[in-house]
Amino acid sequence: PNPSPPSTVRPATCWRPPNKSWFKVNFDGALFYQEHRVGIGVVICNEEGAVIAPITADTPTLNSSRGGDMAARRALEFAMEIGVHKVILEGIVDPYQSTSKKQPLIGTVWNLAEDVKYLASKFQSYNLSHVCRQCNVVAHTLAKRAILNPHLLVWMEDVSPNVLSVLQADLEGLS
């Protein structure tokens, strides 16, 4: 089946859950300049706002300006890995607006924005949503914490106790 074309949603003022049968995939990248690393935070939620799966990852980078694109790509990869089919990719950077200039990354030349477009096309349906920082607090918190652990951390249907208060504040904002 052909995926529906992407649409971009205007920035919201607070986090909102997706429509029924959709999953919201929030992502963010935190730059650690001195370490030449990018922290990646991703949280996937269902239409009730329940966390399906968050991850935090830390990755080396040769070009720190591409942290958000790296996070967007990892967010889509993770959504595919857990088997969701209708996604809203939401972050403070719009990967479709990224420069079309190819960037070197760990010895390979590739275009992260094109990677994101390709991965997004593999979903049954998808939308892109560019949001402000206060609508993306959980993903941002996860990204900042990535430097504390050099390994990929995944929680299924749960969230790190260190991020729980941030998540609860987002959900309280829905009432």
Side-chain angles (χ1 to χ4, degrees):
N2 291 335
S4 61
S7 65
T8 302
V9 180
R10 290 228 176 255
T13 57
C14 64
W15 188 89
R16 295 280 180 231
N19 291 332
K20 187 175 179 160
S21 79
W22 283 74
F23 292 86
K24 190 166 276 191
V25 181
N26 285 81
F27 70 93
D28 200 9
L31 304 174
F32 301 102
Y33 294 101
Q34 290 182 334
E35 295 85 355
H36 302 287
R37 301 192 73 75
V38 171
I40 294 173
V42 177
V43 61
I44 300 177
C45 297
N46 67 13
E47 70 267 10
E48 296 170 356
V51 172
I52 300 304
I55 65 169
T56 184
D58 160 74
T59 186
T61 182
L62 300 176
N63 185 341
S64 61
S65 67
R66 303 305 299 261
D69 291 336
M70 292 171 72
R73 182 184 61 204
R74 185 63 186 107
L76 288 172
E77 289 170 344
F78 185 52
M80 292 174 116
E81 289 166 7
I82 67 167
V84 297
H85 303 289
K86 294 180 179 180
V87 299
I88 299 170
L89 181 65
E90 186 168 89
I92 63 167
V93 298
D94 183 347
Y96 275 27
Q97 296 299 317
S98 296
T99 178
S100 62
K101 190 176 179 182
K102 293 186 177 183
Q103 300 285 340
L105 181 66
I106 312 175
T108 306
V109 177
W110 44 347
N111 186 327
L112 290 169
E114 289 301 317
D115 278 357
V116 169
K117 289 178 187 178
Y118 172 77
L119 289 169
S121 74
K122 298 299 178 186
F123 289 92
Q124 180 182 353
S125 298
Y126 67 99
N127 288 320
L128 300 173
S129 179
H130 179 205
V131 297
C132 55
R133 173 77 66 211
Q134 64 261 31
C135 297
N136 207 35
V137 176
V138 176
H140 182 66
T141 301
L142 288 165
K144 289 190 308 186
R145 295 194 54 75
I147 197 72
L148 302 175
N149 188 325
H151 307 289
L152 172 71
L153 294 177
V154 179
W155 298 269
M156 293 305 290
E157 298 180 2
D158 199 5
V159 67
S160 163
N162 301 319
V163 180
L164 189 56
S165 63
V166 176
L167 178 64
Q168 288 172 332
D170 265 2
L171 293 176
E172 287 172 8
L174 296 177
S175 23

